[in-house]
Amino acid sequence: MKHLYIKIVFLLAVIFTIGACEEEDNLQSEGQWELSTPSIVSPQNDDKIVLDENTTNELITFTWTQATSSAGYGVFYSVVIVDGDNPDYNNPIMEIKAENGGKDLSATVSYGNLDTALSLAGYAANTNVNLTWAAVAQSLSKQEMNTSTLIVTRFENEIIPTQLFLSGTATENGDDLSSAIPLRRLNNAEGNSSNNYEIYTSLTAGNTFMFYSEQSLPAHKYGGFEGNLVKNGDPISVAEDGQYRISVDLDNNTYSLLKIDRWSVVGSPIINNWGGDEPLEYIGGGVWQAAIEFVDTGGFLFRANGDWSYLLKRVVGTTNEVIMESEASSQGLSYEDIPSEEKGTMIVTLDLSSNAYTYSIEKDPNAAEPIETPETLFLFVNNTMIEELTKDGDVFKTTNYLALQTSDVVTLNSASDGSGNGYTIYSSIGATDTPNDTKVTVNANISAGSDGIAVERDQAYAFSIDFSNAKLSWSYYNITLYQWDEINQKWDDRDEYLMTYVHPYKFTTSASLKANFDMKFFSPWDNDFGADDPSALSGSMTNHGGSNFRNIITDGTYNVSIEISNDYLTGTYSFE
């Protein structure tokens, strides 16, 4: 046994010694051995391959001859495909590992996979693409390759992505593609996914954005210009900062931009109900939100830019999903006004992020406490009682519009002589930063007290005070002169002249007017003043009842003025 043990130990020592010597030989300096170059077998130089989209799984086989390491090291192979005119082997269109874990002398790719790679690289469908392919041999850190040219015809029809993302310096998430913002894929009339996408988001002027099919590269990339969507086109930009709805149609390769100046709540629950307009504030990520006074129950909707063409209503059969009224039928949906049984100060949220399109209504936890409703309420201007307000439950309203001037001071009191309970209003009236919208409405908190509130803008105001919510709202109208070519039906080419309010109840403007064009005075569309005698240069006019003015027979610049009644039902006008 002792002799056997010694022989085994000796034999193991010899084996380890031989193995160590072989390993040392295998690790000889790389400069002391060579790797031969593989030769192309097929496809050969300038071979043509037509990709057939009806046989996407058909294979193309690349073959080559063996490369040899002079030191006997293992050799592994791959195929690299690059642009034939501008080959870039560091950024190939496609890289394919050889069969059998990279050891065989062939590699395959399907028609479908190659067409996808060419599409991602930006080559147009149904075109001939000049390519170069290389058979690459790799042994340790040494590499040799041989190349051949190839002409490939892409599928007849372009690949259309099933998702889109927005990225670029103009976007909310910047140009980090991994943080690209998803677009919402819309359904067709049958309820199936279409190739139409949209997103509500914020964009900055002077920067750019593009659309991507993935949040990483490679991806289909789309730029464009003037509404035309172009694959691998120039980045797109906007002229103004703001919020936009971006719509993309991949079937027709178009895009459109709608600037969203505001989303507003309109309807029965708000002050002035269907004649009111309570704006929401954009808070980012496709979401708008605001605290709004709901003074009544009933239906409402969301309106963009004060335009009745852009209305969001509730999808029938859902609890809180919304759809653009004008687009519901094309997506196989029906709609209804949004119901509400709530009253008080509500936090209204409109979520138009890609996976939402919903709304929510919640009680404002920071709302002011209700005030005991008096039996009567009187409005004073500069300590003079002007009007007893009309009571309807907890709400008092002025009967007509009151013409107020800058520096007037408005107070409220429960007694006509000012000896009753007073109320403090926490806001100025007609602040100079209020917008030139059709109708401006501003809410303010009130409490018990006697502090007056200053008027900051000459205008004709209406007031509403809701004691159940401790809120006062004031509002006024702006009026715009519209001029258009009615004879040739060119309403869309109209001119609009915003008029300047002049105390009391007057509006004026200087306008370049054209002969035989039609005109009206609008606060779209609450006020619609038309002429009692449409051909006269001066006379009387009626709200929602008069005819179009057609009183200009000579082109020129005219001074236009109107004076309205305090109930906005009638008025007078003159063109000079």
Side-chain angles (χ1 to χ4, degrees):
M1 288 294 293
K2 183 175 181 182
H3 292 294
L4 177 61
Y5 173 78
I6 293 172
K7 289 180 180 179
I8 292 173
V9 171
F10 177 77
L11 179 61
L12 288 175
V14 171
I15 292 172
F16 287 140
T17 302
I18 294 171
C21 291
E22 288 182 353
E23 184 171 338
E24 185 177 344
D25 291 341
N26 288 341
L27 296 178
Q28 63 181 293
S29 172
E30 290 188 14
Q32 297 176 7
W33 61 276
E34 300 294 334
L35 177 63
S36 65
T37 302
S39 297
I40 299 294
V41 176
S42 67
Q44 295 182 351
N45 225 31
D46 290 336
D47 275 1
K48 296 182 179 180
I49 298 175
V50 178
L51 304 180
D52 185 351
E53 59 192 78
N54 295 314
T55 57
T56 58
N57 292 325
E58 186 168 341
L59 297 177
I60 302 169
T61 301
F62 299 88
T63 61
W64 53 89
T65 61
Q66 183 177 3
T68 303
S69 163
S70 62
Y73 302 147
V75 181
F76 296 87
Y77 304 93
S78 63
V79 168
V80 173
I81 300 174
V82 296
D83 183 271
D85 299 320
N86 297 289
D88 182 358
Y89 293 97
N90 292 321
N91 297 286
I93 296 170
M94 195 173 203
E95 185 169 3
I96 312 161
K97 189 176 182 179
E99 306 295 327
N100 192 25
K103 298 178 182 179
D104 282 0
L105 303 178
S106 65
T108 61
V109 62
S110 69
Y111 281 7
N113 287 341
L114 179 55
D115 189 76
T116 297
L118 294 176
S119 179
L120 289 171
Y123 300 102
N126 201 31
T127 60
N128 294 327
V129 182
N130 295 322
L131 299 174
T132 294
W133 76 274
V136 181
Q138 180 88 38
S139 182
L140 297 181
S141 61
K142 285 197 173 186
Q143 185 182 89
E144 294 292 340
M145 69 179 184
N146 213 335
T147 64
S148 180
T149 58
L150 183 64
I151 301 173
V152 175
T153 302
R154 278 204 58 209
F155 286 169
E156 182 177 354
N157 297 302
E158 184 56 87
I159 296 172
I160 298 180
T162 57
Q163 60 182 6
L164 277 184
F165 299 87
L166 180 74
S167 185
T169 55
T171 71
E172 293 183 33
N173 290 0
D175 58 358
D176 179 2
L177 189 54
S178 66
S179 301
I181 309 168
L183 278 73
R184 183 181 182 88
R185 190 178 188 185
L186 305 180
N187 289 337
N188 58 23
E190 288 72 41
N192 301 317
S193 296
S194 74
N195 292 320
N196 294 317
Y197 295 79
E198 69 181 21
I199 183 173
Y200 289 88
T201 190
S202 186
L203 298 172
T204 57
N207 293 304
T208 61
F209 63 90
M210 294 184 73
F211 305 103
Y212 297 81
S213 63
E214 304 285 345
Q215 287 177 300
S216 61
L217 296 177
H220 296 282
K221 299 182 292 184
Y222 300 90
F225 63 97
E226 297 180 352
N228 297 301
L229 193 69
V230 180
K231 190 173 181 180
N232 287 331
D234 292 333
I236 304 167
S237 62
V238 294
E240 296 181 74
D241 291 353
Q243 288 73 57
Y244 289 83
R245 183 189 70 175
I246 309 173
S247 302
V248 177
D249 182 347
L250 291 180
D251 286 327
N252 297 300
N253 291 318
T254 60
Y255 71 92
S256 63
L257 299 166
L258 172 66
K259 191 170 188 296
I260 305 293
D261 295 321
R262 69 179 187 278
W263 279 109
S264 300
V265 171
V266 179
S268 298
I270 67 171
I271 296 169
N272 296 320
N273 51 74
W274 289 98
D277 185 284
E278 294 287 352
L280 305 176
E281 180 181 353
Y282 186 68
I283 61 174
V287 180
W288 282 259
Q289 189 178 77
I292 296 176
E293 298 305 318
F294 276 29
V295 297
D296 205 348
T297 60
F300 71 93
L301 50 80
F302 297 100
R303 181 174 67 182
N305 302 342
D307 190 334
W308 291 100
S309 300
Y310 303 110
L311 306 178
L312 288 175
K313 294 188 175 183
R314 189 170 75 169
V315 177
V316 172
T318 70
T319 57
N320 68 336
E321 294 181 19
V322 292
I323 183 70
M324 188 80 77
E325 181 183 73
S326 60
E327 299 171 0
S329 61
S330 66
Q331 298 184 43
L333 299 172
S334 53
Y335 55 83
E336 61 190 1
D337 288 349
I338 301 168
S340 174
E341 299 299 322
E342 302 286 349
K343 294 180 72 175
T345 304
M346 312 302 298
I347 301 296
V348 180
T349 303
L350 177 62
D351 187 346
L352 297 179
S353 56
S354 65
N355 59 353
Y357 281 37
T358 60
Y359 70 90
S360 64
I361 308 170
E362 301 173 328
K363 285 280 188 182
D364 184 355
N366 300 314
E369 293 296 325
I371 304 173
E372 183 178 354
T373 303
E375 291 301 317
T376 58
L377 188 66
F378 298 86
L379 187 146
F380 292 75
V381 177
N382 301 329
N383 296 320
T384 300
M385 196 275 284
I386 300 298
E387 181 178 349
E388 180 179 0
L389 279 64
T390 301
K391 183 180 182 182
D392 181 8
D394 293 319
V395 179
F396 289 84
K397 293 182 179 181
T398 50
T399 304
N400 296 310
Y401 284 77
L402 304 178
L404 301 178
Q405 291 181 279
T406 302
S407 299
D408 282 346
V409 175
V410 174
T411 53
L412 300 171
N413 200 279
S414 62
S416 60
D417 61 359
S419 62
N421 294 324
Y423 303 93
T424 296
I425 307 167
Y426 297 98
S427 171
S428 59
I429 298 174
T432 55
D433 60 350
T434 51
N436 291 321
D437 293 338
T438 295
K439 184 177 186 179
V440 176
T441 301
V442 175
N443 297 314
N445 292 329
I446 60 172
S447 66
S450 58
D451 293 343
I453 179 173
V455 176
E456 295 187 7
R457 177 190 296 238
D458 290 6
Q459 254 291 357
Y461 294 89
F463 293 89
S464 176
I465 298 92
D466 182 358
F467 283 87
S468 65
N469 292 307
K471 294 288 184 180
L472 173 144
S473 72
W474 54 262
S475 62
Y476 64 79
Y477 282 112
N478 287 302
I479 294 181
T480 301
L481 172 63
Y482 280 42
Q483 177 192 224
W484 71 98
D485 184 358
E486 176 69 18
I487 295 173
N488 294 303
Q489 295 294 296
K490 292 187 176 181
W491 168 260
D492 290 340
D493 297 331
R494 64 187 177 273
D495 295 315
E496 299 180 10
Y497 299 97
L498 180 67
M499 305 186 76
T500 301
Y501 179 83
V502 179
H503 182 78
Y505 301 112
K506 294 180 181 179
F507 294 84
T508 65
T509 189
S510 178
S512 177
L513 303 181
K514 296 179 177 63
N516 298 316
F517 274 32
D518 284 29
M519 292 175 289
K520 266 193 169 182
F521 298 97
F522 287 113
S523 305
W525 301 106
D526 291 359
N527 295 314
D528 177 354
F529 285 99
D532 296 333
D533 180 358
S535 62
L537 288 173
S538 62
S540 59
M541 60 183 188
T542 304
N543 197 356
H544 292 287
S547 303
N548 293 351
F549 294 84
R550 193 180 290 175
N551 54 4
I552 303 300
I553 59 175
T554 304
D555 292 358
T557 301
Y558 289 77
N559 293 322
V560 184
S561 63
I562 62 173
E563 183 171 351
I564 53 148
S565 59
N566 61 7
D567 56 8
Y568 270 81
L569 295 179
T570 59
T572 59
Y573 68 90
S574 70
F575 291 78
E576 298 180 357

